[in-house]
Amino acid sequence: SNPRYCEYHVFFSNIVHQDLLQKLALADNEHEVVRQVHEYYGDYSAVNECLFAATSCLGPISKVSLNRDINVVLSLLLSMKRKPSKIRY
């Protein structure tokens, strides 16, 4: 179908998985209306320059809650321009 707008600017608030970007690229192949895609690592709140806060699930630890906490820490490190590649991969 035809796109609703003439161009799209897509912003993500954390790390985007490669398969999601691939799906986006395939969907945009015909009309080429996606102009930019950015990841902004804002999965936490800065309290001050030395302290940050993140929401976390209280209760029993599950795989989902653990992955959420890992993504928050990765988001913090990436926004500080650190290279957590050893942790991420």
Side-chain angles (χ1 to χ4, degrees), residues 1-63:
S1 69
N2 291 330
R4 181 172 287 189
Y5 301 103
C6 62
E7 63 183 36
Y8 291 88
H9 302 266
V10 184
F11 301 93
F12 293 97
S13 64
N14 204 342
I15 299 165
V16 182
H17 294 285
Q18 189 68 29
D19 59 337
L20 182 62
L21 289 175
Q22 186 68 27
K23 287 179 185 177
L24 180 63
L26 289 173
D28 189 45
N29 192 25
E30 183 179 342
H31 298 288
E32 296 183 356
V33 292
V34 175
R35 298 292 179 241
Q36 61 178 333
V37 176
H38 286 281
E39 294 175 322
Y40 289 102
Y41 310 112
D43 227 9
Y44 62 92
S45 299
V47 177
N48 61 35
E49 64 185 36
C50 299
L51 181 66
F52 75 95
T55 57
S56 183
C57 300
L58 297 175
I61 296 174
S62 68
K63 188 174 183 177

